[in-house]
Amino acid sequence: QVVGGKVKKPGKRGRKPAKIDLKAKLERSRQSARECRARKKLRYQYLEELVSSRERAICALREELEMYKQWCMAMDQGKIPSEIKALLTGEEQGKAQQNANKLAKAGKTEVNSSNP
């Protein structure tokens, strides 16, 4: 056809999509949707695990706080809980052990430095 002195070609420019291309496009779209759903499922599983671990941590901290409250109430009544006594004696024993280790190390370094 000649329109206004120009030759006009029928249809659109470029390649027409074939039915094979359309089927491939639909299959790619389906595959992409499957992958998206799988990623979403994994993300929700991860978030649920994260929430449950945080909830467990919160419960443990609440129990610890309750234990400290009990200790404080006992100390207000003039009683020293056995757990605190054990902690204090354990710390004293730990300090004594650290001092002994330091002395032993110092003795070894003196022996090593005196022998050329």
Side-chain angles (χ1 to χ4, degrees):
Q1 284 183 334
V2 177
V3 177
K6 295 182 181 179
V7 177
K8 184 177 179 186
K9 295 181 183 177
K12 296 180 181 178
R13 281 192 273 164
R15 205 175 85 194
K16 288 185 180 180
K19 288 188 177 185
I20 297 170
D21 291 340
L22 183 60
K23 287 180 182 178
K25 184 177 179 182
L26 286 172
E27 184 55 37
R28 283 193 309 269
S29 177
R30 289 185 190 114
Q31 181 64 28
S32 177
R34 278 192 290 271
E35 291 171 359
C36 181
R37 287 190 295 271
R39 284 192 306 269
K40 184 177 180 182
K41 185 177 177 181
L42 285 173
R43 185 170 49 248
Y44 274 94
Q45 286 175 348
Y46 166 74
L47 290 173
E48 286 174 0
E49 290 172 7
L50 190 64
V51 166
S52 65
S53 70
R54 298 286 165 89
E55 286 174 346
R56 284 191 301 271
I58 288 170
C59 288
L61 289 170
R62 283 191 176 139
E63 289 175 7
E64 188 178 356
L65 179 63
E66 190 60 35
M67 178 184 67
Y68 291 140
K69 284 181 182 179
Q70 295 291 329
W71 289 2
C72 288
M73 288 191 311
M75 290 172 64
D76 287 342
Q77 295 172 357
K79 301 174 187 173
I80 298 176
S82 59
E83 295 91 351
I84 294 179
K85 288 180 184 177
L87 284 174
L88 291 174
T89 56
E91 286 176 7
E92 290 171 3
Q93 290 174 356
K95 287 179 183 177
Q97 183 65 32
Q98 286 175 353
N99 288 338
N101 288 342
K102 287 179 184 177
L103 290 173
K105 286 181 183 177
K108 287 180 184 177
T109 55
E110 288 178 10
V111 170
N112 291 339
S113 61
S114 63
N115 290 335

